[in-house]
């Protein structure tokens, strides 16, 4: 099972899933829709909490 985290694009407001393994300092994730750099949001962190719970349960 892949641990993913939700990111929100500040430009087009679309959510995108990113693999947690890809999220590390110095790695910029880009929106698949408009190419803007996506940022981690509180909402994304909440989603991550759920993803982590599922991950630990599996
Ligand atoms: Zn976008």
């Amino acid at each position: 099972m892949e641990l993913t985290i939700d990111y929100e694009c500040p430009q087009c407001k679309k959510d995108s899933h990113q693999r947690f393994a890809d999220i590390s300092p110095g790695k910029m994730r880009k929106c698949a829709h408009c190419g803007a750099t996506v940022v981690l949001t509180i909402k994304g962190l909440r989603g991550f909490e759920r993803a982590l719970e599922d991950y630990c349960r599996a």
Side-chain angles (χ1 to χ4, degrees):
M1 183 180 167
E2 199 80 69
L3 185 56
T4 60
I5 189 164
D6 288 326
Y7 271 67
E8 185 180 85
C9 174
Q11 198 155 296
C12 67
K13 305 294 180 193
K14 287 198 192 319
D15 289 335
S16 61
H17 287 290
Q18 304 288 348
R19 287 191 309 140
F20 187 69
D22 287 343
I23 314 292
S24 61
K27 281 197 182 180
M28 302 296 268
R29 307 308 302 174
K30 289 203 166 149
C31 175
H33 305 280
C34 70
T37 302
V38 293
V39 293
L40 184 57
T41 61
I42 294 297
K43 192 176 139 220
L45 279 175
R46 289 201 186 110
F48 177 64
E49 197 183 331
R50 275 199 307 278
L52 192 57
E53 278 173 14
D54 288 346
Y55 184 80
C56 291
R57 216 177 281 132

